[in-house]
Amino acid sequence: MYFFLLNLALLDLGSISTTLPKAMANALWDTRAISCQGCAAQVFFFLFFISAEYYTLTVMSYDRYVAICKPLHYGSLVGSRACAQMAAAAWGSGFLNAVLHTATTFSLPLCQGNAVDQFFCEIPQILKLSCSDAYLREVGALVFSVSLGCGCFVFIVLSYVQIFRAVLRMPSEKGRHKAFSTCLPHLAVVSMTVSTGLFAYLKPRSISCPSMDLVVSFLYSVVPPALNPLIYSMRNQELKDAVRKLFLYSLLHHQ
């Protein structure tokens, strides 16, 4: 589990470093400029880190499934070699997904200017600038990625169905508590990542406006990577005590 958490932490760091530094620099220098090459690099690395993170979360659900449902086979099914192979598959799949979408998007001719209504280069905003009959190529790539993402989501759901069935059959309350404590952080991260991403791309057109798009993009691109380390660290008792003391101090200070 800690090996996969290391991978997740690196991916979170990479994804948040792709968007925030440039946005902060632009705000500091009061500019919105970015080169075409810089925009392409930002799209590629953001997609790479986000995709690889989602695939890593899928692999982590398998790790939790084997640990709880097949504990006697954990060493053989999820050994160090298997962990390295699964992590490499997640990073490799993220890389291929990023290459596919970046190459497809930046091969489209732009007919609507070059101003992107976003704090970072985002594919939907770039597609709005493309010629109306050319963006269908990216739609085909998007269908492939969505199908793969749905397959991963179904795998995660099925894994947790089996996990919860196994946990509820445990006779020991302490064993159930320990099993839930190892699964709930992962489930919280998956839920936050999927829900913010779905809302960003499937929100009704009636509530879509530049300011709303900005807030939603911030929610799915910055908030999950920033909160993931905190969610997993809440299993650490020392961190829990520190957060509790900070909360009580701020509460007493305001009073």
Side-chain angles (χ1 to χ4, degrees), residues 39-40 43 47 97-110 121-128 130 134-135 137-139 141-142:
C39 186
V43 167
L47 281 175
N97 187 56
V99 168
L100 173 66
H101 285 285
T102 306
T104 305
T105 301
F106 285 90
S107 66
L108 302 177
L110 303 182
C121 287
E122 189 183 32
I123 286 182
Q125 299 296 330
I126 297 172
L127 291 180
K128 289 181 181 179
S130 67
Y135 75 94
R137 280 181 284 174
E138 170 60 17
V139 171
L142 187 62

Side-chain angles (χ1 to χ4, degrees), residues 6-249:
L6 172 62
N7 281 266
L8 193 67
L10 293 174
L11 291 167
D12 284 332
L13 182 63
S15 65
I16 206 168
S17 299
T18 302
T19 56
L20 270 191
K22 180 61 178 175
M24 292 170 68
N26 282 356
L28 183 64
W29 299 109
D30 194 22
T31 179
R32 296 184 62 189
I34 186 171
S35 66
C36 184
Q37 293 83 358
C39 186
Q42 198 173 61
V43 167
F44 171 78
F45 282 110
F46 181 71
L47 281 175
F48 168 52
F49 289 122
I50 287 293
S51 302
E53 178 172 340
Y54 184 60
Y55 301 142
T56 300
L57 289 171
T58 306
V59 170
M60 289 174 72
S61 69
Y62 174 73
D63 173 70
R64 294 298 82 209
Y65 163 74
V66 175
I68 292 173
C69 299
K70 299 183 178 181
L72 298 179
H73 301 284
Y74 187 82
S76 58
L77 292 175
V78 194
S80 57
R81 184 176 180 180
C83 286
Q85 290 173 341
M86 288 188 286
W91 286 71
S93 300
F95 176 81
L96 293 176
N97 187 56
V99 168
L100 173 66
H101 285 285
T102 306
T104 305
T105 301
F106 285 90
S107 66
L108 302 177
L110 303 182
C111 307
Q112 311 293 330
N114 61 355
V116 178
D117 271 338
Q118 198 51 269
F119 73 95
F120 71 101
C121 287
E122 189 183 32
I123 286 182
Q125 299 296 330
I126 297 172
L127 291 180
K128 289 181 181 179
L129 307 177
S130 67
C131 302
S132 58
D133 59 342
Y135 75 94
L136 292 175
R137 280 181 284 174
E138 170 60 17
V139 171
L142 187 62
V143 169
F144 171 76
S145 294
V146 168
S147 301
L148 186 60
C150 288
C152 291
F153 182 72
V154 169
F155 183 84
I156 293 172
V157 170
L158 292 177
S159 297
Y160 271 99
V161 168
Q162 296 298 320
I163 287 171
F164 286 139
R165 287 177 62 185
V167 170
L168 293 175
R169 286 199 301 263
M170 289 180 179
S172 167
E173 184 178 348
K174 185 178 179 181
R176 287 197 298 270
H177 176 75
K178 184 178 179 181
F180 276 126
S181 69
T182 62
C183 292
L184 289 181
H186 176 258
L187 199 56
V189 169
V190 170
S191 301
M192 182 171 58
T193 302
V194 173
S195 59
T196 53
L198 286 177
F199 183 72
Y201 290 105
L202 298 179
K203 65 183 182 296
R205 285 184 174 272
S206 58
I207 65 170
S208 183
C209 62
S211 57
M212 174 61 77
D213 291 343
L214 190 66
V215 171
V216 170
S217 294
F218 181 83
L219 283 176
Y220 90 88
S221 64
V222 176
V223 173
L227 290 183
N228 286 353
L230 182 62
I231 291 172
Y232 274 105
S233 298
M234 289 308 291
R235 293 182 61 208
N236 186 300
Q237 189 60 43
E238 291 179 1
L239 184 67
K240 285 182 182 179
D241 294 338
V243 171
R244 192 178 294 112
K245 288 177 182 176
L246 183 64
F247 178 74
L248 290 174
Y249 173 80

